[in-house]
Amino acid sequence: MAGDAPSSLPVQLVEQPRLLKLKESFIAKFGSAPKFYVRAPGRVNLIGEHIDYCGYAVLPMAIEQDILIAVEPVNNDVVQLANTNSLYLDFSASINDIQIDKTKSQWHNYFLCGLKGIQEHFGLNNPTGMNCLLDGTIPPSSGLSSSSALVCCAGLVTLRANGKTLSKVELAEICTKSERYIGTEGGGMDQAISFLAEEGTAKLIEFSPLRATDVRLPSGAVFVIANSCVEMNKAATSHYNTRVMECRLATKLLSKSKGLDWKKMLRLQDVQAKLGVSLEEMLTIVEEVLHPEPYSTEEICKCLGISLEDLRSQILSQNTQDVSTFKLHQRAKHVYSEAARVLEFKKICNEAPANAIQLLGELMNQSYISCREMYECSCPELDQLVDICLQFGAVGSRLTGAGWGGCTVSMVPTDKLNTFLKNVKKAYYQSDVQRLALENNSLFATKPGRGALVFVEA
């Protein structure tokens, strides 16, 4: 059941070398033993890029790579955070005075987002202090959701340490909201799959209300993740938040042209719902209403009949105040066509025709072209990597996550997997000294993993 709370599993640490090692490191660091451990997985989005914040369903699966935190609640008001990776510095703060610096995307700020979300949800006046040691296996800024997994893990840590309970859906919704403390206007996919994932199945994640449906992937193919080794940090870049605003502005202009109450409309899905038309019909409306040339802020104000001050104070987010041009036609076209591809992907998985793998691969390829051409969220390295993956046997390949760097996901027939891995290694990683150093964690086949949970020593 997806509606229940995250599982709590008793484990024998001798059988769990990673947990055992984390316990030993924790004792060496804090001088006492952790009381429990919390794990939250990263994810790969198979199809449905940049549409969750527009209100549309997406199709991710959890991966085996995760954030794991050892925790000891303590009788003071201090939260102490440490990381097994020495590149990430220790941090401590008063638990009653949580300050999140939006200008710095330091690792501890993502933990503080999850912590603050739970504190505020319950109105905890006297939250318990904690010692926490984190061990992460998700490559950072790779588009596999390391930051959201950390927010989710911290939320579940804080929940457990304070003796509270919530359902997975409630946790996902709180963690989505609380990640905005760091300035990311995300749509909720990453947090939803981190909590709602189940082993062996991908999920169709739908929003308002949040729900997850199993999607059985075809046997006979595997999904391979390949890291472009170009880091992209969502909170630190304006690209991501500019796209969110372009979709919001397209929503306003489409609504106004159709005589809807545009001030109340926030997401592209709202326009479709209000008009009661299909995604195909929405694409026709986009062609009729929005021009392909970029819109200036002046033109947007004119179309909506508002002042520049109103635009900045009522519509644009804090970090998009200085953007002067917006591409509305291209962004809306991507969103409505990508939303249709997600539904088609699920339908093919459900009906399982003989050529399912081929059909799903074609949808992934179309998604990638739309991300590259219409949403402009690719980069030269991702383009090169997708080409290499298709050249060596992938039936479909696309960027996954926000883009502008990070990873590709490719669908590869099982019988071609070994030669595929060997050839991609040679063509992309071994041809470049910097990539060669990162090669071991950069290319791997993955299968749907389970969602966030708590471990206690048996």
Side-chain angles (χ1 to χ4, degrees), residues 47 124 139 188 194 230 257 402:
I47 195 160
L124 297 176
S194 198
V230 176
S257 77

Side-chain angles (χ1 to χ4, degrees), residues 388 392 418-428 443:
I388 287 170
F392 291 119
N418 290 336
T419 53
F420 174 85
L421 294 172
K422 195 172 73 195
N423 286 325
V424 173
K425 253 183 197 173
K426 199 169 159 187
Y428 190 77
L443 183 69

Side-chain angles (χ1 to χ4, degrees), residues 93-391:
S94 161
I95 202 142
N96 294 308
D97 183 30
I98 297 301
Q99 304 289 329
I100 298 168
D101 185 352
K102 273 190 189 181
T103 62
K104 296 191 175 74
S105 53
Q106 292 161 310
W107 76 276
H108 64 254
N109 281 328
Y110 291 96
F111 185 99
L112 297 178
C113 284
L115 174 107
K116 191 172 171 178
I118 296 299
Q119 274 189 6
E120 294 194 342
H121 177 79
F122 286 103
L124 297 176
N125 293 329
N126 202 7
T128 183
M130 300 181 279
N131 294 334
C132 300
L133 178 62
L134 180 145
D135 182 60
T137 55
I138 311 166
S141 301
S142 63
L144 301 176
S145 204
S146 56
S147 48
S148 297
L150 175 46
V151 174
C152 292
C153 207
L156 188 47
V157 162
T158 309
L159 189 77
R160 175 89 185 193
N162 287 280
K164 302 287 185 188
T165 50
L166 285 169
S167 72
K168 295 172 188 175
V169 166
E170 288 168 317
L171 272 162
E173 288 179 329
I174 290 166
C175 290
T176 300
K177 283 199 201 88
S178 66
E179 195 167 326
R180 293 180 187 146
Y181 295 134
I182 198 127
T184 309
E185 301 275 342
M189 161 176 58
D190 304 345
Q191 299 81 1
I193 191 67
S194 198
F195 285 114
L196 299 172
E198 290 176 77
E199 209 161 347
T201 177
K203 295 278 184 179
L204 179 79
I205 306 272
E206 296 170 276
F207 304 96
S208 314
L210 180 60
R211 57 210 183 278
T213 312
D214 288 2
V215 177
R216 294 277 163 199
L217 299 169
S219 55
V222 279
F223 289 93
V224 176
I225 294 170
N227 193 341
S228 70
C229 305
V230 176
E231 288 204 355
M232 181 273 169
N233 186 305
K234 242 181 353 201
T237 180
S238 63
H239 291 308
Y240 182 89
N241 291 317
T242 301
R243 293 298 178 279
V244 177
M245 284 309 120
E246 286 173 321
C247 291
R248 188 176 294 178
L249 291 167
T251 300
K252 305 283 186 195
L253 267 66
L254 289 169
S255 302
K256 185 136 198 274
S257 77
K258 291 290 167 192
L260 303 173
D261 184 356
W262 63 266
K263 287 187 177 173
K264 287 199 177 125
M265 309 291 255
L266 285 175
R267 302 171 311 169
L268 287 166
Q269 197 269 336
D270 300 339
V271 187
Q272 187 199 354
K274 269 277 186 285
L275 294 176
V277 300
S278 68
L279 286 163
E280 285 65 31
E281 286 169 292
M282 279 313 307
L283 284 165
T284 308
I285 293 170
V286 168
E287 293 301 329
E288 288 165 3
V289 174
L290 301 173
H291 57 66
E293 301 75 30
Y295 284 74
S296 64
T297 42
E298 290 73 28
E299 187 182 357
I300 290 165
C301 291
K302 202 171 148 194
C303 290
L304 296 176
I306 58 172
S307 68
L308 189 57
E309 286 316 302
D310 287 345
L311 177 69
R312 287 190 172 141
S313 63
Q314 290 166 27
I315 300 175
L316 297 182
S317 62
Q318 210 41 56
N319 42 21
T320 53
Q321 294 286 314
D322 301 327
V323 182
S324 56
T325 57
F326 298 90
K327 292 188 180 179
L328 307 187
H329 169 272
Q330 294 86 335
R331 311 312 185 217
K333 195 170 169 178
H334 166 76
V335 170
Y336 290 127
S337 63
E338 185 78 345
R341 284 186 284 271
V342 170
L343 300 178
E344 185 60 22
F345 195 100
K346 177 178 186 274
K347 185 167 170 254
I348 293 164
C349 288
N350 287 353
E351 293 172 0
N355 60 342
I357 291 170
Q358 216 50 49
L359 295 172
L360 296 174
E362 280 163 26
L363 286 172
M364 290 174 74
N365 293 334
Q366 288 165 21
S367 167
Y368 180 62
I369 292 164
S370 183
C371 284
R372 189 183 67 205
E373 307 291 327
M374 291 290 125
Y375 223 71
E376 296 176 280
C377 60
S378 190
C379 67
E381 294 85 353
L382 282 171
D383 295 343
Q384 185 197 355
L385 189 48
V386 165
D387 285 344
I388 287 170
C389 290
L390 291 171
Q391 185 189 330

